[in-house]
Amino acid sequence: MKTLAVLVFPGFQTLDLFGPLEMLGGVGDDIRITIVAETLEPVPSVHGQGLLVDKTVADGSDYDLLLIPGGDTALVAGESKAVTDWIVETATHAELVMTVCTGSILLAMTGMLDGRKATTNKLDFVQTVPLGPKVDWVRQARWVEDGKFFTSSGVSAGMDMALAALARMFGKQVADDMAHGTEYEWHEDAGWDPFAKRAGLV
């Protein structure tokens, strides 16, 4: 069984979180999900729903997998030393680290993506990537895999990225079965990204 830490912060984007979790959580007992935040108070999403928290960043960083969703407030979360220190500790030891949307920027702000290829939300791309000046940002990509780091583009791209991570961990058949079971059309080509052109990035 692999342990998955999901970092949440006030204003997180709901599909960034629940889309990948639908895929990753679908393997049942093979992945145990823990919601982590700075405090144990319910964390409101961008739409206002409060998400219950299992552990705080002060409770340790010993997890096999890490998922960081995005949202406009991800950059605010990056101002918390407690949060960024926990990200560094967790990402250093994790087998796989996954980010969605501006969650990639939050991870980049810690320095963990320095010298690596990564991508993020295309609509916010130009404004946010300067916060990770040492990252090799990929303008056109649905998701990018560099070593143990999986970074994905905006919102729904997290589901494609999560399926790719599942394929790496458990084999492609597991990922295919998950896509079929959720009636989801998986974009298996990591370079498929029509949104980069619409955002004027290519």
Side-chain angles (χ1 to χ4, degrees):
M1 178 182 64
K2 298 182 184 295
T3 57
L4 167 64
V6 182
L7 177 68
V8 293
F9 44 83
F12 70 88
Q13 179 64 246
T14 51
L15 190 58
D16 281 14
L17 174 64
F18 295 114
L21 283 188
E22 180 68 28
M23 305 305 175
L24 296 168
V27 294
D29 292 338
D30 287 331
I31 293 180
R32 184 178 67 200
I33 299 168
T34 301
I35 303 298
V36 181
E38 193 164 8
T39 73
L40 284 174
E41 294 296 315
V43 179
S45 75
V46 67
H47 304 298
Q49 311 100 321
L51 182 66
L52 296 180
V53 175
D54 300 309
K55 299 282 187 181
T56 72
V57 295
D59 291 327
S61 58
D62 187 17
Y63 298 96
D64 301 312
L65 312 170
L66 172 61
L67 172 65
I68 305 175
D72 291 339
T73 54
L75 309 187
V76 177
E79 297 174 1
S80 167
K81 188 174 186 302
V83 169
T84 55
D85 284 352
W86 180 86
I87 291 173
V88 170
E89 292 171 6
T90 306
T92 297
H93 301 293
E95 297 174 16
L96 290 185
V97 178
M98 299 163 280
T99 65
V100 187
C101 192
T102 50
S104 302
I105 303 299
L106 176 52
L107 181 62
M109 291 169 70
T110 71
M112 291 300 294
L113 289 176
D114 287 358
R116 294 186 177 274
K117 293 183 181 298
T119 197
T120 187
N121 189 307
K122 300 312 182 294
L123 291 177
D124 297 328
F125 195 92
V126 173
Q127 294 82 7
T128 57
V129 297
L131 294 171
K134 296 181 180 179
V135 180
D136 183 5
W137 292 106
V138 181
R139 288 173 170 257
Q140 188 168 25
R142 184 68 170 167
W143 79 89
V144 170
E145 179 181 349
D146 188 334
K148 68 178 182 180
F149 295 93
F150 285 71
T151 57
S152 61
S153 187
V155 194
S156 65
M159 293 186 285
D160 294 324
M161 177 270 298
L163 287 168
L166 275 182
R168 176 159 159 180
M169 289 186 285
F170 302 108
K172 188 173 183 298
Q173 188 61 56
V174 170
D176 285 336
D177 290 346
M178 194 62 60
H180 178 73
T182 54
E183 296 190 4
Y184 180 70
E185 186 175 352
W186 177 19
H187 295 287
E188 297 182 46
D189 178 6
W192 180 86
D193 184 12
F195 306 102
K197 184 174 182 180
R198 294 179 190 178
L201 298 177
V202 293

